[in-house]
Amino acid sequence: SGGRIYPSEQPDSTYFLHYKYGSQVEQYAKSQFQSNNFIVPKSVFSFLTFDEDIKGYGFEDVLFGLDAKHFGLKLNTINNPIKHIKLKTNDEFLNDMEQALQNLQKLITRKRNSLLEEKVAVSAFYQKLEKYNLTFLLSTGQKTILKKTRKLLLLNIPLGVTLLITIYKLYYFHSLKIVKENTPAHLS
């Protein structure tokens, strides 16, 4: 995997969130496989494929990387990044992030994949809150916090963007967990 980098020049405010998060978080994430810049022998695809049950955006590459490790394959990261120049608008970025979290929740539930849950920061942190019975803290004012945090993110305030995104992800993930827990088994 060659990784990815973001342009050094900041784009206009329409693409602020994707650029900020990408340049401050994604381009430094070496721990998880990214499918936008990799090479693999054809023979690997005879037993390891992308999960076609994953719909929309998010986590198919992380799951692929974890499955590769499960099969004993070693992921090598080399210094050959691609420059991510097709940024998503702020709304698209937040919508994709929400879709990715929905996929994460489904994968954790469907696969009972504790490794996935442990390796993804938002679910790993959420697990710690569950362990200490602290998830109720996320229920207090949850809808209001989600709404206001999303609104703040769309204002393109440069300070604390990654922290706000992290908070938004955590509250959104919690909202998915609550829905899942309150859905009868025959409907989920």
Side-chain angles (χ1 to χ4, degrees):
S1 179
R4 84 174 63 124
I5 58 172
Y6 285 76
S8 55
E9 60 283 345
Q10 187 168 319
D12 73 61
S13 61
T14 308
Y15 306 97
F16 176 77
L17 290 177
H18 191 179
Y19 174 78
K20 216 49 167 161
Y21 189 77
S23 63
Q24 291 181 359
V25 177
E26 283 182 349
Q27 80 179 20
Y28 299 108
K30 302 273 189 246
S31 63
Q32 295 186 346
F33 173 76
Q34 298 172 346
S35 62
N36 66 327
N37 183 15
F38 77 105
I39 187 168
V40 63
K42 184 178 178 181
S43 60
V44 169
F45 279 119
S46 67
F47 64 89
L48 179 64
T49 60
F50 287 96
D51 188 331
E52 293 184 20
D53 289 335
I54 298 173
K55 304 298 181 209
Y57 176 82
F59 286 100
E60 61 278 351
D61 51 356
V62 174
L63 187 59
F64 183 90
L66 290 172
D67 286 346
K69 287 180 184 176
H70 174 77
F71 284 114
L73 300 172
K74 184 179 178 197
L75 173 65
N76 291 315
T77 303
I78 61 171
N79 187 15
N80 188 29
I82 59 164
K83 189 180 279 191
H84 198 316
I85 56 172
K86 185 158 176 30
L87 300 176
K88 295 174 180 159
T89 66
N90 296 334
D91 268 329
E92 289 170 336
F93 177 78
L94 290 175
N95 290 339
D96 277 358
M97 185 174 66
E98 291 169 356
Q99 174 67 59
L101 291 169
Q102 291 168 26
N103 282 344
L104 175 61
Q105 174 59 34
K106 287 176 189 171
L107 286 168
I108 289 169
T109 302
R110 185 187 79 196
K111 291 193 172 275
R112 307 275 187 259
N113 194 329
S114 62
L115 187 58
L116 180 66
E117 198 167 11
E118 293 165 10
K119 294 293 182 186
V120 176
V122 68
S123 54
F125 186 75
Y126 194 85
Q127 266 190 318
K128 288 178 185 167
L129 291 175
E130 283 182 318
K131 180 180 177 182
Y132 296 107
N133 295 318
L134 295 173
T135 57
F136 73 92
L137 296 170
L138 299 173
S139 294
T140 307
Q142 172 194 330
K143 289 180 182 175
T144 303
I145 290 170
L146 276 170
K147 187 176 179 180
K148 289 188 178 197
T149 305
R150 186 179 178 98
K151 198 174 199 176
L152 270 174
L153 285 166
L154 292 172
L155 290 175
N156 299 329
I157 300 168
L159 298 174
V161 171
T162 55
L163 177 61
L164 277 177
I165 288 172
T166 301
I167 290 168
Y168 189 79
K169 282 179 165 183
L170 187 59
Y171 273 89
Y172 192 83
F173 188 74
H174 178 65
S175 73
L176 297 172
K177 294 283 274 189
I178 289 172
V179 167
K180 180 68 182 156
E181 289 168 3
N182 292 328
T183 303
H186 69 283
L187 296 176
S188 57

